[in-house]
Structures are given as C-alpha cells and as structure tokens.
C-alpha cells in the first residue's frame, strides 16, 4: 500500500476527484493548506493598499491505494490537476506499513 499525497490548485479539486473515482478509488481526504514555492506568491490590492501574499491557497489530497494502482493514480491526478501554469502542485508517494478500519477491524488492503 502507498499513500499518495497531492498538492493542487483549489479549483482543480472536482476534476481530480472525478479522475480518482473513475479508477474505482472511493475514499480520499482533503485539507485546505497554504504553500510557498516557485510561484513566489502574488500581489493583491485590499481597500486601496497593495500587499504581498506569500503563501497561496492549495488543496492537499491524501489517498491510500494498493501498490499496483500507484502509477494509474499518479497519472490520473497529474492529468486532472495540470493547467500548464506555474503552481500546478506536486505529488508525493509514501509507503504505508499498515491500515486498520476502526469500525470493522479490517486491516491492510481490506481496510482501504
């Protein structure tokens, strides 16, 4: 099992979710996060005053998948999240030692 963590632009969330659903991936966790990278923030105007926003809003998507689905998952996420512009995000793949579904006691691949 692997944990796939993707950081994407907020308006791409629905497209990424639909791409994962088409693979049969039913569960995912999202968090609203802020990040700083090559995009280097942006300048905004509020009440006539200009100020820099260094940390931009992003969505963090976490999904645990069987090892044989990792490549398809990464491809689906990257295809759905890509705009071709700076700040499209990143995808990380991390090994998962074990999983447990609290309600039923199922473990590992049965729990995901």
């Amino acid at each position: 099992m692997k944990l796939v963590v993707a950081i994407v632009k907020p308006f791409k969330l629905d497209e990424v979710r639909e791409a994962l659903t088409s693979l049969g991936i039913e569960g995912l966790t999202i968090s609203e996060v802020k990040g700083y990278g090559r995009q280097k923030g942006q300048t905004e105007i509020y009440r006539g005053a200009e100020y820099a926003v260094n940390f931009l809003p992003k969505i963090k998507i976490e999904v645990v998948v069987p090892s044989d689905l990792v490549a398809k998952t990464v491809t689906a996420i990257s295809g759905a999240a890509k705009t071709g512009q700076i700040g499209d995000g990143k995808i990380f793949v991390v090994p998962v030692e074990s999983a447990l579904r609290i309600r039923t006691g199922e473990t590992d691949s049965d729990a995901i």
Side-chain angles (χ1 to χ4, degrees), residues 46-91:
Y46 179 71
R47 294 190 177 184
E50 190 173 294
Y51 64 98
V53 177
N54 292 324
F55 292 94
L56 297 175
K58 302 287 182 182
I59 296 291
K60 179 179 177 182
I61 301 167
E62 298 172 294
V63 59
V64 177
V65 297
S67 296
D68 60 331
L69 271 182
V70 171
K72 288 182 181 179
T73 302
V74 169
T75 302
I77 293 171
S78 63
K82 184 175 183 176
T83 66
Q85 301 295 317
I86 193 167
D88 274 352
K90 299 257 195 294
I91 299 173

Short mmCIF file of all heavy atoms in Angstrom, two decimals, residues 46-91:
data_model
loop_
_atom_site.label_atom_id
_atom_site.label_comp_id
_atom_site.label_asym_id
_atom_site.label_seq_id
_atom_site.Cartn_x
_atom_site.Cartn_y
_atom_site.Cartn_z
N TYR A 46 -6.14 45.53 -1.42
CA TYR A 46 -7.24 45.49 -0.48
C TYR A 46 -7.46 46.89 0.06
O TYR A 46 -6.56 47.47 0.65
CB TYR A 46 -6.95 44.49 0.65
CG TYR A 46 -8.04 44.42 1.68
CD1 TYR A 46 -9.25 43.82 1.38
CD2 TYR A 46 -7.86 44.96 2.95
CE1 TYR A 46 -10.26 43.74 2.32
CE2 TYR A 46 -8.86 44.88 3.90
CZ TYR A 46 -10.05 44.27 3.58
OH TYR A 46 -11.06 44.21 4.51
N ARG A 47 -8.65 47.42 -0.19
CA ARG A 47 -9.00 48.78 0.25
C ARG A 47 -7.96 49.81 -0.20
O ARG A 47 -7.56 50.68 0.56
CB ARG A 47 -9.20 48.84 1.75
CG ARG A 47 -10.40 48.04 2.21
CD ARG A 47 -10.70 48.30 3.65
NE ARG A 47 -11.89 47.56 4.04
CZ ARG A 47 -12.45 47.64 5.20
NH1 ARG A 47 -11.96 48.43 6.13
NH2 ARG A 47 -13.53 46.95 5.47
N GLY A 48 -7.52 49.66 -1.42
CA GLY A 48 -6.59 50.61 -2.00
C GLY A 48 -5.13 50.40 -1.64
O GLY A 48 -4.25 51.05 -2.18
N ALA A 49 -4.86 49.49 -0.71
CA ALA A 49 -3.48 49.22 -0.31
C ALA A 49 -2.99 47.93 -0.98
O ALA A 49 -3.71 46.94 -1.02
CB ALA A 49 -3.38 49.10 1.20
N GLU A 50 -1.79 47.98 -1.50
CA GLU A 50 -1.21 46.82 -2.14
C GLU A 50 -0.38 46.04 -1.13
O GLU A 50 0.38 46.62 -0.36
CB GLU A 50 -0.32 47.29 -3.30
CG GLU A 50 0.15 46.17 -4.19
CD GLU A 50 0.88 46.68 -5.41
OE1 GLU A 50 0.26 47.34 -6.26
OE2 GLU A 50 2.09 46.42 -5.49
N TYR A 51 -0.54 44.73 -1.13
CA TYR A 51 0.25 43.91 -0.22
C TYR A 51 0.56 42.57 -0.88
O TYR A 51 -0.13 42.14 -1.80
CB TYR A 51 -0.44 43.71 1.12
CG TYR A 51 -1.74 42.95 1.07
CD1 TYR A 51 -1.79 41.60 1.37
CD2 TYR A 51 -2.93 43.58 0.71
CE1 TYR A 51 -2.95 40.89 1.31
CE2 TYR A 51 -4.12 42.87 0.65
CZ TYR A 51 -4.13 41.55 0.96
OH TYR A 51 -5.30 40.83 0.90
N ALA A 52 1.61 41.94 -0.42
CA ALA A 52 2.06 40.67 -0.99
C ALA A 52 1.48 39.50 -0.21
O ALA A 52 1.45 39.51 1.02
CB ALA A 52 3.58 40.59 -0.97
N VAL A 53 1.00 38.52 -0.94
CA VAL A 53 0.52 37.28 -0.35
C VAL A 53 1.56 36.22 -0.70
O VAL A 53 1.67 35.81 -1.85
CB VAL A 53 -0.87 36.89 -0.91
CG1 VAL A 53 -1.31 35.56 -0.33
CG2 VAL A 53 -1.88 37.98 -0.63
N ASN A 54 2.36 35.82 0.28
CA ASN A 54 3.44 34.87 0.02
C ASN A 54 2.98 33.43 0.01
O ASN A 54 3.51 32.62 -0.73
CB ASN A 54 4.56 35.05 1.05
CG ASN A 54 5.27 36.37 0.87
OD1 ASN A 54 5.45 36.84 -0.24
ND2 ASN A 54 5.64 36.99 1.97
N PHE A 55 2.02 33.10 0.85
CA PHE A 55 1.53 31.73 0.91
C PHE A 55 0.19 31.66 0.18
O PHE A 55 -0.77 32.29 0.58
CB PHE A 55 1.38 31.27 2.37
CG PHE A 55 2.70 31.14 3.07
CD1 PHE A 55 3.21 32.18 3.82
CD2 PHE A 55 3.44 29.98 2.96
CE1 PHE A 55 4.43 32.07 4.46
CE2 PHE A 55 4.66 29.85 3.58
CZ PHE A 55 5.16 30.90 4.33
N LEU A 56 0.16 30.85 -0.87
CA LEU A 56 -1.03 30.75 -1.70
C LEU A 56 -1.89 29.56 -1.28
O LEU A 56 -1.37 28.52 -0.86
CB LEU A 56 -0.62 30.60 -3.16
CG LEU A 56 0.14 31.79 -3.72
CD1 LEU A 56 0.61 31.49 -5.13
CD2 LEU A 56 -0.71 33.04 -3.70
N PRO A 57 -3.22 29.69 -1.40
CA PRO A 57 -4.11 28.61 -1.02
C PRO A 57 -3.97 27.42 -1.98
O PRO A 57 -3.91 27.59 -3.19
CB PRO A 57 -5.50 29.22 -1.10
CG PRO A 57 -5.37 30.40 -1.98
CD PRO A 57 -3.95 30.87 -1.87
N LYS A 58 -3.91 26.23 -1.41
CA LYS A 58 -3.83 24.98 -2.16
C LYS A 58 -4.74 23.96 -1.48
O LYS A 58 -5.21 24.16 -0.38
CB LYS A 58 -2.40 24.44 -2.19
CG LYS A 58 -1.36 25.37 -2.77
CD LYS A 58 -1.48 25.48 -4.26
CE LYS A 58 -0.37 26.39 -4.79
NZ LYS A 58 -0.44 26.57 -6.20
N ILE A 59 -4.94 22.84 -2.15
CA ILE A 59 -5.68 21.72 -1.60
C ILE A 59 -4.73 20.53 -1.50
O ILE A 59 -4.03 20.21 -2.46
CB ILE A 59 -6.89 21.34 -2.49
CG1 ILE A 59 -7.90 22.47 -2.54
CG2 ILE A 59 -7.54 20.05 -2.00
CD1 ILE A 59 -8.64 22.73 -1.25
N LYS A 60 -4.70 19.90 -0.34
CA LYS A 60 -3.88 18.71 -0.14
C LYS A 60 -4.83 17.51 -0.17
O LYS A 60 -5.77 17.43 0.60
CB LYS A 60 -3.17 18.79 1.21
CG LYS A 60 -2.32 17.60 1.54
CD LYS A 60 -1.67 17.83 2.89
CE LYS A 60 -0.85 16.68 3.37
NZ LYS A 60 -0.29 16.94 4.71
N ILE A 61 -4.55 16.60 -1.09
CA ILE A 61 -5.36 15.39 -1.26
C ILE A 61 -4.51 14.20 -0.82
O ILE A 61 -3.38 14.05 -1.26
CB ILE A 61 -5.78 15.22 -2.73
CG1 ILE A 61 -6.58 16.44 -3.19
CG2 ILE A 61 -6.57 13.93 -2.91
CD1 ILE A 61 -6.78 16.50 -4.69
N GLU A 62 -5.09 13.38 0.05
CA GLU A 62 -4.39 12.19 0.52
C GLU A 62 -5.26 10.97 0.22
O GLU A 62 -6.44 10.96 0.56
CB GLU A 62 -4.13 12.27 2.02
CG GLU A 62 -3.23 13.44 2.40
CD GLU A 62 -3.13 13.63 3.90
OE1 GLU A 62 -4.15 13.97 4.51
OE2 GLU A 62 -2.02 13.42 4.42
N VAL A 63 -4.65 9.98 -0.39
CA VAL A 63 -5.38 8.76 -0.72
C VAL A 63 -4.43 7.57 -0.57
O VAL A 63 -3.28 7.63 -1.01
CB VAL A 63 -6.02 8.83 -2.13
CG1 VAL A 63 -4.99 9.05 -3.20
CG2 VAL A 63 -6.85 7.61 -2.43
N VAL A 64 -4.90 6.51 0.07
CA VAL A 64 -4.12 5.28 0.21
C VAL A 64 -4.62 4.30 -0.84
O VAL A 64 -5.82 4.05 -0.93
CB VAL A 64 -4.25 4.68 1.63
CG1 VAL A 64 -3.49 3.36 1.72
CG2 VAL A 64 -3.74 5.66 2.67
N VAL A 65 -3.69 3.78 -1.62
CA VAL A 65 -4.05 2.87 -2.71
C VAL A 65 -3.16 1.63 -2.67
O VAL A 65 -2.06 1.68 -2.13
CB VAL A 65 -3.92 3.55 -4.09
CG1 VAL A 65 -4.89 4.71 -4.23
CG2 VAL A 65 -2.51 4.01 -4.36
N PRO A 66 -3.63 0.52 -3.24
CA PRO A 66 -2.76 -0.65 -3.35
C PRO A 66 -1.56 -0.31 -4.24
O PRO A 66 -1.66 0.53 -5.14
CB PRO A 66 -3.65 -1.70 -4.03
CG PRO A 66 -5.06 -1.22 -3.83
CD PRO A 66 -4.98 0.26 -3.73
N SER A 67 -0.46 -0.95 -4.01
CA SER A 67 0.78 -0.65 -4.74
C SER A 67 0.62 -0.76 -6.25
O SER A 67 1.24 0.00 -7.00
CB SER A 67 1.90 -1.56 -4.27
OG SER A 67 2.18 -1.32 -2.91
N ASP A 68 -0.23 -1.68 -6.71
CA ASP A 68 -0.40 -1.84 -8.16
C ASP A 68 -1.20 -0.71 -8.80
O ASP A 68 -1.23 -0.59 -10.03
CB ASP A 68 -1.02 -3.20 -8.48
CG ASP A 68 -2.39 -3.40 -7.85
OD1 ASP A 68 -2.65 -2.81 -6.79
OD2 ASP A 68 -3.20 -4.14 -8.43
N LEU A 69 -1.86 0.13 -8.01
CA LEU A 69 -2.63 1.25 -8.55
C LEU A 69 -1.91 2.59 -8.47
O LEU A 69 -2.45 3.60 -8.89
CB LEU A 69 -3.96 1.39 -7.79
CG LEU A 69 -5.15 0.62 -8.30
CD1 LEU A 69 -6.38 0.91 -7.46
CD2 LEU A 69 -5.43 0.93 -9.76
N VAL A 70 -0.69 2.60 -7.95
CA VAL A 70 0.01 3.87 -7.72
C VAL A 70 0.25 4.62 -9.03
O VAL A 70 -0.05 5.82 -9.13
CB VAL A 70 1.34 3.64 -6.97
CG1 VAL A 70 2.17 4.90 -6.94
CG2 VAL A 70 1.07 3.16 -5.57
N ALA A 71 0.76 3.95 -10.04
CA ALA A 71 1.07 4.63 -11.30
C ALA A 71 -0.18 5.23 -11.93
O ALA A 71 -0.17 6.38 -12.40
CB ALA A 71 1.76 3.67 -12.26
N LYS A 72 -1.28 4.47 -11.94
CA LYS A 72 -2.53 4.97 -12.50
C LYS A 72 -3.06 6.15 -11.69
O LYS A 72 -3.60 7.11 -12.25
CB LYS A 72 -3.58 3.86 -12.56
CG LYS A 72 -3.31 2.81 -13.61
CD LYS A 72 -4.42 1.78 -13.62
CE LYS A 72 -4.13 0.70 -14.65
NZ LYS A 72 -5.17 -0.33 -14.68
N THR A 73 -2.91 6.07 -10.37
CA THR A 73 -3.38 7.15 -9.50
C THR A 73 -2.60 8.43 -9.76
O THR A 73 -3.19 9.51 -9.91
CB THR A 73 -3.25 6.73 -8.02
OG1 THR A 73 -4.00 5.53 -7.80
CG2 THR A 73 -3.76 7.81 -7.10
N VAL A 74 -1.30 8.32 -9.82
CA VAL A 74 -0.45 9.49 -10.07
C VAL A 74 -0.76 10.09 -11.44
O VAL A 74 -0.88 11.32 -11.59
CB VAL A 74 1.05 9.12 -9.93
CG1 VAL A 74 1.93 10.24 -10.44
CG2 VAL A 74 1.37 8.79 -8.49
N THR A 75 -0.93 9.24 -12.44
CA THR A 75 -1.26 9.72 -13.78
C THR A 75 -2.61 10.43 -13.80
O THR A 75 -2.76 11.48 -14.43
CB THR A 75 -1.26 8.55 -14.79
OG1 THR A 75 0.03 7.94 -14.77
CG2 THR A 75 -1.58 9.01 -16.19
N ALA A 76 -3.59 9.86 -13.12
CA ALA A 76 -4.93 10.46 -13.08
C ALA A 76 -4.90 11.83 -12.40
O ALA A 76 -5.50 12.79 -12.88
CB ALA A 76 -5.91 9.53 -12.37
N ILE A 77 -4.20 11.90 -11.26
CA ILE A 77 -4.13 13.17 -10.54
C ILE A 77 -3.40 14.22 -11.36
O ILE A 77 -3.87 15.35 -11.51
CB ILE A 77 -3.45 13.00 -9.17
CG1 ILE A 77 -4.32 12.14 -8.24
CG2 ILE A 77 -3.18 14.36 -8.52
CD1 ILE A 77 -3.64 11.73 -6.94
N SER A 78 -2.25 13.85 -11.91
CA SER A 78 -1.47 14.84 -12.66
C SER A 78 -2.21 15.30 -13.90
O SER A 78 -2.17 16.48 -14.26
CB SER A 78 -0.09 14.29 -13.01
OG SER A 78 -0.19 13.17 -13.84
N GLY A 79 -2.92 14.40 -14.56
CA GLY A 79 -3.69 14.79 -15.74
C GLY A 79 -4.84 15.72 -15.41
O GLY A 79 -5.10 16.69 -16.14
N ALA A 80 -5.52 15.45 -14.31
CA ALA A 80 -6.66 16.28 -13.92
C ALA A 80 -6.26 17.61 -13.33
O ALA A 80 -6.97 18.61 -13.46
CB ALA A 80 -7.54 15.51 -12.93
N ALA A 81 -5.11 17.67 -12.68
CA ALA A 81 -4.69 18.89 -11.98
C ALA A 81 -3.86 19.83 -12.85
O ALA A 81 -3.67 20.99 -12.50
CB ALA A 81 -3.90 18.53 -10.73
N LYS A 82 -3.39 19.36 -13.98
CA LYS A 82 -2.46 20.15 -14.79
C LYS A 82 -3.17 21.30 -15.51
O LYS A 82 -4.18 21.10 -16.17
CB LYS A 82 -1.78 19.26 -15.82
CG LYS A 82 -0.73 19.98 -16.62
CD LYS A 82 0.00 19.03 -17.53
CE LYS A 82 1.09 19.78 -18.28
NZ LYS A 82 1.88 18.88 -19.10
N THR A 83 -2.59 22.50 -15.37
CA THR A 83 -3.04 23.66 -16.13
C THR A 83 -1.95 24.13 -17.08
O THR A 83 -2.21 24.91 -17.98
CB THR A 83 -3.41 24.84 -15.21
OG1 THR A 83 -2.23 25.32 -14.55
CG2 THR A 83 -4.46 24.45 -14.19
N GLY A 84 -0.72 23.68 -16.84
CA GLY A 84 0.41 24.13 -17.64
C GLY A 84 1.02 25.42 -17.13
O GLY A 84 1.97 25.93 -17.71
N GLN A 85 0.50 25.92 -16.03
CA GLN A 85 0.99 27.16 -15.44
C GLN A 85 1.81 26.85 -14.19
O GLN A 85 1.64 25.81 -13.56
CB GLN A 85 -0.18 28.09 -15.06
CG GLN A 85 -1.07 28.46 -16.22
CD GLN A 85 -0.36 29.28 -17.26
OE1 GLN A 85 0.38 30.20 -16.95
NE2 GLN A 85 -0.56 28.94 -18.53
N ILE A 86 2.63 27.79 -13.79
CA ILE A 86 3.40 27.64 -12.57
C ILE A 86 2.44 27.50 -11.38
O ILE A 86 1.37 28.11 -11.37
CB ILE A 86 4.37 28.82 -12.38
CG1 ILE A 86 5.39 28.52 -11.29
CG2 ILE A 86 3.62 30.10 -12.11
CD1 ILE A 86 6.55 29.50 -11.26
N GLY A 87 2.79 26.65 -10.43
CA GLY A 87 1.95 26.45 -9.25
C GLY A 87 0.94 25.34 -9.37
O GLY A 87 0.03 25.23 -8.56
N ASP A 88 1.09 24.47 -10.39
CA ASP A 88 0.15 23.35 -10.54
C ASP A 88 0.21 22.38 -9.37
O ASP A 88 -0.77 21.71 -9.08
CB ASP A 88 0.43 22.59 -11.83
CG ASP A 88 -0.28 23.19 -13.03
OD1 ASP A 88 -1.10 24.10 -12.84
OD2 ASP A 88 -0.02 22.74 -14.15
N GLY A 89 1.34 22.28 -8.69
CA GLY A 89 1.42 21.45 -7.49
C GLY A 89 2.45 20.35 -7.58
O GLY A 89 3.29 20.32 -8.47
N LYS A 90 2.35 19.43 -6.63
CA LYS A 90 3.28 18.32 -6.50
C LYS A 90 2.51 17.06 -6.09
O LYS A 90 1.43 17.15 -5.50
CB LYS A 90 4.32 18.59 -5.41
CG LYS A 90 5.20 19.79 -5.63
CD LYS A 90 6.55 19.36 -6.11
CE LYS A 90 7.60 20.40 -6.02
NZ LYS A 90 7.58 21.54 -6.76
N ILE A 91 3.12 15.91 -6.37
CA ILE A 91 2.57 14.63 -5.92
C ILE A 91 3.69 13.86 -5.24
O ILE A 91 4.81 13.77 -5.77
CB ILE A 91 2.01 13.81 -7.10
CG1 ILE A 91 0.88 14.57 -7.79
CG2 ILE A 91 1.52 12.44 -6.61
CD1 ILE A 91 0.37 13.91 -9.04
#
